[in-house]
Structures are given as structure tokens and as C-alpha cells.
């Protein structure tokens, strides 16, 4: 036998002994086994997320007791207990499927967590919640009908206006021309926007700022737990609201004003307060505390009706309150981590919640169902706001970006690399011409809603910008900062600047060419 033949024979002997190839096979089998276990665990968790569970902690305890497992573990809260039940049900489901494959016998009767079940678990709502949903439904249908009709008319008029058609009636021409002129006027004025006033707001960092519906006053809140009222005309303090024992994280004015302003505030003391403020002398007439959250409340927002209030919290839930009766109507779970923001769609039929789980959820207030989940941000979502068009909303995240989402397509349609630090606040203006954002990169920015082009950057702050807000006419913008100051932005001597602006080249022409045909 030649040398080559002896070498081949020796290799075959080694393979038969399993000294080399056997080791490789065992290593490969071990790796494949690890991958198989990881995939099984991933599949088990995926199936567990689809299991319907009762939201009431009492019912969760009953289900655990029924399965003869500990009702509660050391350091376990209601959410952890619910997730433990979810995992137990997933294991039961997996075991039942294996037994079914072996015996070819279908288990008798549906079980909790079985995807073949015909019964869905619901927590029964109160009569007040049923009445509120009916009222929201009727209001949203009316608003949606008017919004869609106006939008169709505006789009038709703009199309005819751009094509210079002769068959346009005077009313459509006036509508298209008016909308174009208002947008041009705002973009021109934005080029000259600067700081009109800068005020020291509190002894500790400011966290929120909001204009009242009448634009006569604005309110600021801070880590000191104090809310201060300011006169917009001279930027002087006109009132102080004290009541929270911890820092205040968010404030919101009711959209409707009668003889008094109604202001809501959310705090780290787990409470929400409603303040009634006299419109004439800005004195406090009444205050009410809403208790229910078990962790710090991060956001408060009024429903467009003005009768309901939504709050988001670190207890992983958002809640709906009746402002008139001061009663809690709804406790909504669904997020796996703390919530930072909840916002209402312009018609009032939908709510959008977002938080530290890097996702946003869309809720139908008329039925209580979760319609869709929106995933895409790489870090927690800190802020969310809905567009006046009714089908877009924006989210700002710690990943420094703003994402524009389409509710109809259920996906992100545009990503704005907006800031060089986390985005602390986003807000659509009521006229739909621009999106306002603030960031920890010490700036506020205005973005055109046609093409998402930058209109103006407001960069006079010396520290992190915590929040911003604009008046409904777009004349003023207010922003508050971590350095305990707030600033009022606007255009000084607008008539003179307008004449100069007509000769200056603007971004307008470039923006007018942009349309809503946006891509990733």
C-alpha cells in the first residue's frame, strides 16, 4: 500500500474511534441544542403575549390559586404576578399541545390561555364608562365628518388652484388662496422669530409649560412642585398654585373656558390635581385631587370634549377620568414598562400611549380595544402628539429622532433626524402648518409638515429644553429649560419684517414643491 493509501486508512480509523469527528459532532449538537432551546423559549414568550388575561388583580390571584401555585412572591407587584400567570398558562398550553399530538385527542372544554378558546376575557365596565364611550362616539363621528369634508374640499381646491383651472368657483379659489397665504405668512414670520422675553421661573428646574386657551396667561411647573401663572403681555407672575408634595411633571389647560380656567397637573406624588382659576384676577377658586395611580404620574392630557382627562404613569397604565364627577372611568394596561405620554386624536375617538418599552399603542376609546402597536424606535419614547389631519402622529425618543406614523398604514412613513440629544417634546400646531419639537441639545425646532423640512431653529437656551408650547394662532412659542428659565418667542415689529421678508429668499418655494408623498 502506498503512502497515500496508508494515510487514508489512518484517517478512517480515527473517524471510527470518534476521537476527532466525534468531538466536532458533539460540539455541533450542543450548539444546535442551545439554539433549539432559545427558539423554544422565544416561541413560548411569543405565544404567552397573545394569551388574554383578566386585568383585575383579584381575578389573577384566583387563577393562580386554582393552579395551586403561590399567589404572590416576595417583592412581586400586580404586573409581575400577571406576567407569571401568563407564563404558567403558556406552559400549560404547550403541554396540552404535546399531549394532543401524542394521543390525537382534543382536550375537553376550552381553558384559560388556550388559543382555541371561544370566550374572550373582559373586565366589565361601569355604567359611567359606557355613557362616556357613547358620548365620545357621537362627538367623534360629528368631528370626523366635518374634518373629512373640509379636507376633501381643501385638497380639491388646492389641486385646481395649482393647475390654474378656469372652472373653479370663487369660494374654492378663496379657500385655496387663503390657506396658501396663511402658510406663506407663517413661514415668513418664522424666519424672524426671536426671544421676546426671558424669565426666571422657579428655584428648581422647570418641567412643563402651557398657554391657556385665551393666550392671556401661561403656566409653568417645576421640580419644586409649584405651578406658576404668567401674564403673556408683560411676562410677569400673576399667580402661584401650591399643593403637590413632589415635583410636577406635566400640566394641561382644558380646551373650554367659561368663568374660570381649568388646569390639570401630574406629579411624582402619584396624584393628579385639578385647579379652577378665576379668569379675572387669576386667583384659585377650587382644587381637587385625583388618586388612583400607584407610581409617579408623568403626563396629563384633556380630551377634545373637555369633560375627560387622560393620565400616564410609571405603574405601566394610563387612566381616563371624568372631570365633572372627579371619578376614575378606565384603567388601561398593555405596556410592559413605564409610560411617559398619552395623547388624543383630534376627533377624540382614539388615544395613543407611549413609554419606556420603545413602542406606541393605539386605543379605540369607543370600544376599549387596542387597535395597533407601533415599533421602530431604538430607545424609550418620551413624547407623542397627533396631527390635525387625523391620521398622522409624531413620536419623540431618546434615540434623538422624531418618527411620523400613519394610522391608516400602521407604520412609520418618515423619520426625522431631528436633534443631537433626546427629544423631550413634540407638538403639532392646530393649523397643521408645522411641528414643534424641543430637545436636550438646548434647542427648539419648527418643522414643515409638507416634506418635514426645517423651518427655524430656536437656539438661545443655555441648557436642556424640557418642554415647549405654541399659541393656536402661531404668534407665540414658549419654552422652559432645565436652568430654571422660560422664554417667550415671537416676531417683533412684524410689519417691518414682513416688508423686508418679501425681498429675502425663503425656504417657501422649496417647501411648496414637497408633498405628502414621503418615503422611508
Amino acid at each position: 500500500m502506498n503512502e497515500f493509501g496508508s494515510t487514508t486508512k489512518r484517517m478512517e480509523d480515527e473517524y471510527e474511534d470518534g476521537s476527532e469527528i466525534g468531538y466536532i459532532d458533539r460540539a455541533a449538537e450542543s450548539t444546535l441544542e442551545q439554539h433549539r432551546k432559545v427558539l423554544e423559549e422565544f416561541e413560548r414568550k411569543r405565544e404567552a403575549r397573545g394569551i388574554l388575561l383578566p386585568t383585575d388583580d383579584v381575578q389573577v390571584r384566583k387563577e393562580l390559586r386554582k393552579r395551586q401555585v403561590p399567589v404572590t412572591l416576595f417583592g412581586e407587584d400586580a404586573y409581575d404576578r400577571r406576567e407569571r400567570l401568563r407564563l404558567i398558562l403558556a406552559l400549560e398550553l404547550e403541554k396540552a399541545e404535546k399531549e394532543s399530538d401524542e394521543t390525537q385527542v382534543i382536550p375537553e372544554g376550552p381553558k384559560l390561555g388556550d388559543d382555541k378558546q371561544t370566550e374572550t376575557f373582559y373586565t366589565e365596565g361601569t355604567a359611567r364608562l359606557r355613557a362616556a364611550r357613547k358620548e365620545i362616539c357621537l362627538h367623534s363621528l360629528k368631528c370626523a365628518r366635518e374634518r373629512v369634508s373640509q379636507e376633501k374640499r381643501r385638497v380639491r381646491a388646492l389641486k385646481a388652484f395649482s393647475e390654474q383651472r378656469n372652472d373653479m368657483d370663487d369660494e374654492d379659489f378663496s379657500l385655496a388662496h387663503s390657506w396658501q397665504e396663511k402658510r406663506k405668512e407663517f413661514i415668513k414670520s418664522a424666519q424672524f422669530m426671536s426671544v421676546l422675553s426671558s424669565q426666571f421661573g422657579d428655584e428648581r428646574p422647570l418641567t412643563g409649560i402651557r398657554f391657556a386657551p385665551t393666550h392671556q396667561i401661561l403656566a409653568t411647573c417645576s421640580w419644586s412642585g409649584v405651578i406658576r401663572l404668567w401674564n403673556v403681555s408683560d411676562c410677569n407672575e400673576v399667580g402661584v398654585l401650591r399643593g403637590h408634595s413632589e415635583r410636577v411633571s406635566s400640566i394641561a389647560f382644558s380646551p373650554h373656558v367659561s368663568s374660570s380656567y381649568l388646569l390639570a397637573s401630574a406629579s411624582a406624588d402619584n396624584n393628579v390635581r385639578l385647579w379652577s382659576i378665576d379668569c379675572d384676577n387669576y386667583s384659585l377658586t377650587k382644587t381637587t385631587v385625583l388618586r388612583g395611580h400607584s407610581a409617579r404620574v408623568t403626563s396629563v392630557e384633556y380630551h377634545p370634549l373637555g369633560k375627560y382627562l387622560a393620565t400616564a404613569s410609571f405603574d405601566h397604565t394610563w387612566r381616563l377620568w371624568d372631570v365633572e364627577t372627579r371619578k376614575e372611568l378606565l384603567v388601561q394596561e398593555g405596556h410592559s414598562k413605564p409610560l411617559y405620554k398619552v395623547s388624543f386624536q383630534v376627533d377624540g375617538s382614539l388615544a395613543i400611549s407611549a413609554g419606556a418599552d420603545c413602542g406606541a399603542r393605539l386605543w379605540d376609546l369607543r370600544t376599549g380595544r387596542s387597535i395597533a402597536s407601533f415599533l421602530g424606535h431604538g430607545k424609550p419614547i418620551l413624547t407623542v402628539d397627533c396631527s390635525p389631519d387625523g391620521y398622522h402622529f409624531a413620536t419623540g425618543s431618546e434615540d434623538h429622532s422624531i418618527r411620523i406614523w400613519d394610522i391608516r398604514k400602521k407604520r412609520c412613513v418618515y423619520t426625522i433626524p431631528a436633534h443631537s440629544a433626546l427629544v423631550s417634546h413634540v407638538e403639532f400646531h392646530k393649523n397643521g402648518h408645522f411641528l414643534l419639537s424641543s430637545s436636550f441639545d438646548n434647542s427648539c425646532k419648527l418643522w414643515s409638515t409638507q416634506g418635514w423640512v426645517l423651518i427655524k431653529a430656536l437656539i438661545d437656551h443655555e441648557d436642556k429644553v424640557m418642554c415647549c408650547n405654541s399659541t393656536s394662532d402661531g404668534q407665540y412659542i414658549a419654552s422652559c429649560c432645565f436652568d430654571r428659565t422660560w422664554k417667550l418667542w415671537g416676531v417683533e415689529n412684524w410689519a417691518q419684517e414682513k416688508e423686508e421678508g418679501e425681498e429675502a429668499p425663503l425656504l417657501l418655494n422649496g417647501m411648496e414643491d414637497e408633498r405628502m408623498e414621503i418615503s422611508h
Side-chain angles (χ1 to χ4, degrees), residues 304-362:
L305 266 173
K307 297 177 60 176
Y308 306 107
L309 186 74
T311 57
S313 171
F314 263 41
D315 62 9
H316 306 181
T317 69
W318 68 269
R319 303 183 183 222
L320 189 68
W321 308 80
D322 189 322
V323 176
E324 295 178 352
T325 63
R326 271 63 170 173
K327 299 294 184 180
E328 180 184 280
L329 297 177
L330 173 68
V331 180
Q332 185 62 65
E333 296 179 331
H335 288 268
S336 60
K337 291 187 178 181
L339 269 68
Y340 285 108
K341 183 69 175 179
V342 60
S343 180
F344 291 108
Q345 187 242 16
V346 63
D347 299 330
S349 60
L350 305 174
I352 301 173
S353 58
D357 55 4
C358 308
R361 277 188 175 270
L362 184 67

Side-chain angles (χ1 to χ4, degrees), residues 81-218:
R81 188 159 38 250
R82 192 165 180 262
E83 291 302 308
R84 183 159 60 89
L85 175 60
R86 189 188 300 276
L87 182 58
I88 292 174
L89 293 176
L91 293 173
E92 289 182 0
L93 177 61
E94 184 180 359
K95 183 179 178 181
E97 289 178 349
K98 288 182 179 180
E99 292 177 354
S100 176
D101 293 339
E102 293 175 357
T103 62
Q104 297 297 319
V105 176
I106 301 177
E108 296 181 359
K111 295 183 179 180
L112 182 63
D114 193 347
D115 59 0
K116 299 182 181 63
Q117 65 183 10
T118 58
E119 182 182 359
T120 303
F121 280 88
Y122 292 97
T123 301
E124 185 176 357
T126 62
R128 291 195 304 268
L129 177 59
R130 190 181 305 111
R133 282 180 171 160
K134 183 177 180 180
E135 185 177 18
I136 289 173
C137 180
L138 295 175
H139 171 78
S140 63
L141 288 174
K142 179 182 177 181
C143 292
R145 190 182 303 112
E146 294 176 355
R147 175 178 56 82
V148 172
S149 176
Q150 292 177 3
E151 184 67 15
K152 285 181 178 180
R153 183 183 171 194
R154 186 182 69 85
V155 171
R156 185 172 60 252
L158 287 175
K159 184 178 180 180
F161 184 80
S162 63
E163 295 175 355
Q164 299 294 324
R165 283 161 42 187
N166 296 325
D167 58 345
M168 284 185 65
D169 57 27
D170 294 338
E171 190 174 356
D172 284 350
F173 179 84
S174 175
L175 176 66
H177 186 265
S178 174
W179 192 87
Q180 295 278 31
E181 288 300 316
K182 286 181 180 179
R183 185 169 182 276
K184 289 179 181 179
E185 182 179 348
F186 169 75
I187 294 176
K188 287 180 180 179
S189 65
Q191 309 301 313
F192 304 101
M193 193 167 284
S194 60
V195 177
L196 300 180
S197 177
S198 182
Q199 292 288 341
F200 181 79
D202 204 279
E203 298 177 353
R204 300 198 67 189
L206 302 180
T207 55
I209 190 166
R210 284 289 181 99
F211 283 100
T214 59
H215 309 160
Q216 295 177 352
I217 64 169
L218 62 83

